[in-house]
Amino acid sequence: MSNIGKIQPAPIIEEMQRSYLDYAMSVIVSRALPDVRDGLKPVQRRIIYAMHQQSLHHTSRYQKSAAVVGEVLKNFHPHGDAPVYEAMVRMAQNFSLRYMLIDGQGNFGSIDGDSPAAMRYTEARLSSIADELLRDISKNTVNFIDNYSGTTQEPVLLPSVIPNLLLNGASGIAVGMATQIPPHNLGEVCDALVYMIDHPDVTVEDLIQFIKGPDFPTGGSIYDQSEILAAYATGKGRIVMRAKTEIDESGSAGSPRSAGGAGKMQIIVSELPYQVNKATLIARIADLVKDKKLEGISDLRDESDRKQMVRIVFDLKRDAKPKAILNNLYKYTAMQSVFNVNLVALSDGVPHLLTLKQILTEFIRHRQQIVTRRSEFELSEAKAREHILEGLKIAVDNIDRVIETIKKSRDADQAKVNLMTKFKLTEIQAVAILDMQLRRLAALERQKIEDELKMVRETIAYLEDLLAHPEKILKVIKEELLKIKGRYGDDRRTRVYKQKVGEFSEEDLVPNEVTIVTITEGGYIKRQSPHSFRTQQRGGKGVMGISTKETDAVSHIFYTQTHDNILFFTDRGRVFQIKVWEIPETQRSAKGQAIVNLINVEQGEKITAVLTTNKHNGSAKYFFMCTKMGNVKKTALEEYVNIRKNGLVAIKLDANDQLGWVSLTSGKHDLIIVSKMGKSIRFSETGVKPTHRDTSGVRGIKLTKGDEVVSLNVVQSNDDELLVIMENGLGKKTKFSSWSKQGRGGQGVKAAQVNLKTGPIVTAQAVYKSTDTLVLTSNKGQLIKMNLREVPTLQRQTQGVILMRVRAGEKVAAATVVSSTDRT
């Protein structure tokens, strides 16, 4: 009862407020929030320092994780072993940290959420980059405080050469506040710091030129540069992340494990948004498919490997729309997630919401303090060494007198006093002389003392100059950052797109480059890189250009740009439009995708003419069309601006006729129509009046029974040439000047000598440069690429020379010419 009188009464509300505030600050400072300088929470700092104390550096052998955890608990962190091990495990996970601080051996968990093995089974050591957190820690660069038991000391923070807070980010929930800092790319952050040192008045808009955005260890994509800028400028923001996906139309992309999906359309996920649990994601998608909320997926497989390489494969049903399925996956699952940026960290022991510039400024200030303290330490050490060397130099310069003095002394203490008195030495110098080994008396050893003294004095002069000029310290910081970048810098993993995800345009993700588009009579289409083929000599057999069925053949092959519009004109007189990049890119020998998956053609409707347009169409004003029966029509481009998903009527056809060719014209050109039996006619398009879309046109050439048109060409100049290709692989070029202009509707003149050896004309195309390249494709899928200059220029009535040697039962099916300017 006597102790009761010593209790001081206090209002319960005030006491609760004070106690809760003490608890809150303890959690904030000692547990949940990282320090802006080294980017570490206390438990992380203690783990790294404990491993440093145990000499577990990246060149050392691994040690049991239990030993590390025990050392941390014993000396620095009086909490449970589980939280310490969890923090240690996270620093060893390549899907959690952008730059791992611990090199783990054993099971440290997985992106599927699997738990790590117990600490007694795993081993660990510091990673190479973690040593940069500890560099110069022994040079009085940071303050040390007593540990919880007062038995040893621990660092208040680590000297950290790397901007770890931004590199690896942080996540933590304190009391009344939280932090959520995304990881970044080391090279980008170092570049921003270097620029900021040179330009102290830099703005966040300037910094974002270097730091494009977060760089997550799991890759993926992020969107909306304006939101990223806002997060960096205010410390808070919302960044949309998406998985990296690929639509494989042939089902052939990837490993042999995908053999079950061969020939099917697939969606392949190779990167996930940061902190998304893969197993949970797959289970969620499976439930959506089972509940019919995700249509079009026939199978789902996880083909990821043990090295954390992600590969999730969705097999799609035959009639599925892959882009629609992909959009639903983004909409309903964690394949599209949000990272809520909250840049809260401790600055001078107080939590602050920081901007990107403030974080970088704090790190530069931290490095200035570290370099300054390191230089002061090194200067002190150098001066101490200089003092000793000066004493040694006095000794070797007066070695006989020194030896005599020592010999006459009663003992070591007397010798020390005598030396100090006789040679005016300090006690430290006298002790150093007495401790000096006899070998230092050799001539070379004496020279070493003088050389070392000279070097030490140079070091002192450098350090004194450095400390006297703060701008030189900044230069040292810059040099260290550039070395760090050179040693640890790597490529960005996360792609950054400027658009908001809602305004996301796939075209902006596709480079505008030359591509080859191939279409078969059976209705399959694909695009591929021009580099898939090498140029050969004329008369060769070519290489396999496409896998086709026995009954299928290539009908169109042409060069275009990926950002162009591609218009499909069908035999029934309708027109459809998509972007070239929407056609799946595949390998050279792949069959491609069915056109019905891209445009809504009807059963039995065939693509007979293909045209590409872009915003640089120049003087083109009209579509000039020609049917297989020789009718022609001209219609203004404006009538085809809004092409609906189900297509538009391009021309009204007779019952037995089909639309075959379409060209862009200015309204003043000459045109040449060529038939398969070798007839041709040249006339001016001014003789054809413009009409509306749903008109039938007028006669362009009069054909004999059994003949039909094979090409329509625009004459740009009489010096240009018409390339004529025959079914049996023969071909030639003929000057346009060989054709006289006639009125439309006549029978025309010979374009080539057609006989059993040549076979009918397959196509005739206008060519404008001898430097162009010709690509021929057979109905069996063989393909040959040659220089157009190898095709001779001959008269109209000739049959040409062999361009491609076709095998028995094979014939040339299509040809295209690529411009030399396109290839560049």
Side-chain angles (χ1 to χ4, degrees), residues 362-379:
E362 289 285 343
F363 180 76
I364 293 172
R365 190 178 71 172
H366 160 69
R367 286 305 300 163
Q368 285 177 297
Q369 293 173 350
I370 296 299
V371 173
T372 298
R373 291 182 62 163
R374 180 185 69 193
S375 301
E376 290 171 346
F377 176 85
E378 290 175 346
L379 179 61

Side-chain angles (χ1 to χ4, degrees), residues 427-480:
E427 184 177 356
I428 294 174
Q429 290 174 324
V431 171
I433 291 170
L434 289 172
D435 291 340
M436 184 172 64
Q437 296 174 328
L438 289 176
R439 64 181 176 83
R440 303 299 297 269
L441 301 179
L444 288 177
E445 291 295 324
R446 293 201 303 271
Q447 185 61 43
K448 284 183 180 180
I449 291 174
E450 293 178 1
D451 291 343
E452 185 183 356
L453 180 59
K454 180 182 177 182
M455 184 178 66
V456 168
R457 284 172 174 168
E458 289 175 354
T459 301
I460 291 171
Y462 165 75
L463 291 172
E464 287 177 339
D465 180 63
L466 183 66
L467 290 169
H469 298 87
E471 68 276 7
K472 293 187 177 181
I473 291 179
L474 288 173
K475 184 179 178 182
V476 170
I477 295 170
K478 280 172 54 178
E479 292 172 352
E480 290 179 347

Side-chain angles (χ1 to χ4, degrees), residues 694-738:
D694 56 352
T695 56
S696 58
V698 294
R699 177 180 289 180
I701 186 172
K702 187 176 181 180
L703 300 173
T704 58
K705 187 176 181 180
D707 200 3
E708 62 183 34
V709 175
V710 293
S711 80
L712 169 73
N713 290 281
V714 178
V715 179
Q716 302 285 355
S717 167
N718 276 333
D719 292 330
D720 294 330
E721 297 174 312
L722 186 71
L723 172 69
V724 179
I725 306 295
M726 317 287 196
E727 191 177 80
N728 292 334
L730 284 78
K732 64 169 185 171
K733 294 180 295 189
T734 303
K735 292 280 187 181
F736 277 133
S737 57
S738 299

Side-chain angles (χ1 to χ4, degrees), residues 156-168:
V156 175
L157 77 155
L158 300 184
S160 187
V161 183
I162 60 172
N164 184 59
L165 182 67
L166 286 176
L167 298 191
N168 283 319

Side-chain angles (χ1 to χ4, degrees), residues 44-308:
Q44 296 171 324
R45 188 179 301 115
R46 287 164 174 169
I47 291 169
I48 292 172
Y49 183 67
M51 295 180 77
H52 168 69
Q53 293 282 76
Q54 293 176 294
S55 297
L56 293 178
H57 298 283
H58 70 281
T59 54
S60 308
R61 64 176 181 83
Y62 292 95
Q63 182 167 308
K64 286 289 185 181
S65 300
V68 176
V69 172
E71 185 74 13
V72 174
L73 296 179
K74 181 183 78 172
N75 289 329
F76 307 117
H77 203 68
H79 298 278
D81 60 346
V84 175
Y85 186 51
E86 286 173 8
M88 183 177 172
V89 163
R90 188 175 185 277
M91 289 191 287
Q93 292 176 333
N94 61 0
F95 53 87
S96 293
L97 263 64
R98 182 65 177 81
Y99 300 93
M100 292 183 294
L101 300 178
I102 288 179
D103 178 10
Q105 184 169 265
N107 175 17
F108 278 82
S110 74
I111 199 170
D112 287 320
D114 298 321
S115 299
M119 67 180 81
R120 61 182 178 275
Y121 297 121
T122 62
E123 297 178 328
R125 63 185 179 188
L126 290 173
S127 67
S128 176
I129 200 170
D131 284 343
E132 306 298 340
L133 290 166
L134 295 156
R135 190 200 292 184
D136 301 324
I137 196 170
S138 61
K139 295 183 178 181
N140 193 34
T141 50
V142 294
N143 294 330
F144 281 74
I145 58 174
D146 289 338
N147 69 342
Y148 68 93
S149 61
T151 57
T152 186
Q153 288 197 316
E154 61 176 311
V156 175
L157 77 155
L158 300 184
S160 187
V161 183
I162 60 172
N164 184 59
L165 182 67
L166 286 176
L167 298 191
N168 283 319
S171 177
I173 300 175
V175 178
M177 63 181 66
T179 186
Q180 189 81 336
I181 303 173
H184 292 80
N185 183 271
L186 183 144
E188 293 180 0
V189 176
C190 287
D191 287 341
L193 285 165
V194 169
Y195 184 82
M196 193 170 178
I197 290 171
D198 292 333
H199 305 83
D201 297 329
V202 68
T203 64
V204 176
E205 288 79 2
D206 296 325
L207 292 173
I208 205 171
Q209 301 302 314
F210 301 96
I211 303 175
K212 308 295 183 183
D215 188 23
F216 297 113
T218 53
S221 305
I222 58 177
Y223 298 89
D224 192 359
Q225 194 175 52
S226 62
E227 189 66 40
I228 295 170
L229 178 60
Y232 287 154
T234 65
K236 282 182 173 288
R238 184 177 181 273
I239 297 177
V240 177
M241 307 178 291
R242 271 188 173 180
K244 180 185 177 184
T245 60
E246 172 192 355
I247 297 175
D248 177 28
E249 306 293 344
S250 61
S252 59
S255 64
R257 290 175 291 174
S258 295
K264 297 180 181 179
M265 286 190 296
Q266 295 176 332
I267 293 175
I268 300 168
V269 179
S270 54
E271 294 175 5
L272 292 177
Y274 186 48
Q275 296 176 329
V276 167
N277 185 306
K278 176 162 61 69
T280 303
L281 172 68
I282 292 173
R284 166 66 176 163
I285 295 171
D287 289 341
L288 290 172
V289 173
K290 182 180 178 181
D291 296 339
K292 306 293 185 183
K293 292 180 180 179
L294 268 178
E295 300 284 351
I297 297 176
S298 61
D299 192 17
L300 166 62
R301 295 186 304 282
D302 182 4
E303 297 182 355
S304 306
D305 62 17
R306 292 184 178 180
K307 296 179 180 179
Q308 308 291 356

